[in-house]
Amino acid sequence: MTAVVLATACALVYGTADFFGGLATRRSQVMAVVVLSQLAGLALVAGLLPFLPGAPTAEGLAWGMAAGVSGGVALVLFYRALATGVMSVVAPVTATTSAALPVLFGLATGERPEPMALGGVVLALLAVVLVSRDSSPAAAVRDRAATLSALAAGAGFGGFFILLSQAPEGGGMWPLFGARLASVLLIAALAVATGRSLRPGAGALGVIVVAGVLDMVANVLFVLAQERGMLTLVGVLVSLYPASTLLLARYVLKERLNAVQATGIGVTLAAVALIAAS
């Protein structure tokens, strides 16, 4: 039960962080948002390390850094999709993909989830098709590109969960520190190599910091949940995060969906819930 509570809280915080990240990306370049938000998260976890149990190991840091590379690339793609597409479409598509991967990884490594979980994966694939539809030809081109980015981001986030879960026990938050350090270095290097500015847009810095801090809080909750429960269960519960993103997008940004997309979002949430309930 503790793992379920922690994973559910993680989903709520992730969704709120993504909402703020999407808002920041509409005011600043993607690279600037990712690097600065990741730096805020790195500062937070570095400050927490002396007060949390766990000791650094080479293996734990290596798994964490691999997870950071996967998560960092995913975050760039995700924030770009949020900035160019419809937030209440991008978030569920990303979540569905990231929810399915831990289940597939579990199957490949010998786990045998119940048929209900496999049914949820099938529903998730159907949801991706429905939620990507738009009745406007111009919007269809825009949303198609955003949806592809969202799918790739979901794969990256799923990889982040899987890789981070492979860190040995006893490492505490050190693998998470390695993950954030690797993602900051990677995205900063990409920004320098491509000549992208890391200066935030006017009035965006506060939003970026909030997104980064919330994202790190969610990561800490994920590590704590994963230590207390199976990855198959924790991973899909965490992927329920679009619920809070959708609520914020609807009531703050006044976003609207057509009937097919609304159905797709309902199927998406049902798919993730079905996997989680198995």
Side-chain angles (χ1 to χ4, degrees):
M1 180 60 69
T2 302
V4 172
V5 172
L6 289 170
T8 303
C10 176
L12 292 173
V13 179
Y14 263 139
T16 306
D18 289 342
F19 176 78
F20 281 101
L23 288 181
T25 309
R26 295 181 179 184
R27 305 176 186 178
S28 303
Q29 291 189 13
V30 173
M31 292 293 191
V33 173
V34 174
V35 171
L36 295 175
S37 65
Q38 298 279 284
L39 279 173
L42 180 62
L44 176 63
V45 73
L48 290 175
L49 286 174
F51 305 101
L52 296 174
T57 64
E59 184 181 359
L61 288 172
W63 281 113
M65 294 182 77
V69 171
S70 180
V73 173
L75 198 59
V76 171
L77 293 170
F78 183 60
Y79 280 177
R80 179 171 295 168
L82 287 175
T84 59
V86 179
M87 186 178 292
S88 49
V89 172
V90 169
V93 170
T94 303
T96 301
T97 309
S98 65
L101 282 181
V103 175
L104 296 176
F105 177 79
L107 286 173
T109 55
E111 291 183 2
R112 291 296 176 264
E114 298 181 7
M116 185 181 297
L118 297 179
V121 173
V122 175
L123 270 183
L125 297 176
L126 172 62
V128 170
V129 176
L130 294 175
V131 84
S132 304
R133 295 292 298 274
D134 195 306
S135 58
S136 166
V141 175
R142 180 198 68 183
D143 288 344
R144 190 178 302 120
T147 300
L148 289 175
S149 293
L151 285 169
F157 287 137
F160 174 82
F161 294 143
I162 292 169
L163 291 167
L164 198 59
S165 71
Q166 301 306 297
E169 295 183 4
M173 296 299 138
W174 281 100
L176 199 53
F177 175 81
R180 188 55 82 243
L181 180 62
S183 63
V184 167
L185 294 176
L186 172 66
I187 305 305
L190 287 175
V192 171
T194 57
R196 302 293 179 86
S197 172
L198 297 181
R199 179 176 297 178
L205 182 58
V207 180
I208 293 173
V209 170
V210 170
V213 168
L214 288 175
D215 182 67
M216 179 53 66
V217 170
N219 287 337
V220 171
L221 289 170
F222 169 77
V223 171
L224 294 175
Q226 191 275 322
E227 289 175 349
R228 292 162 174 78
M230 296 188 302
L231 175 64
T232 303
L233 176 61
V234 170
V236 291
L237 282 174
V238 168
S239 296
L240 286 167
Y241 72 84
S244 52
T245 307
L246 292 176
L247 288 174
L248 289 169
R250 177 176 177 82
Y251 291 106
V252 177
L253 301 181
K254 310 298 181 185
E255 290 190 354
R256 293 292 183 268
L257 306 174
N258 62 40
V260 176
Q261 289 174 319
T263 301
I265 286 181
V267 175
T268 297
L269 297 178
V272 178
L274 189 61
I275 296 171
S278 63

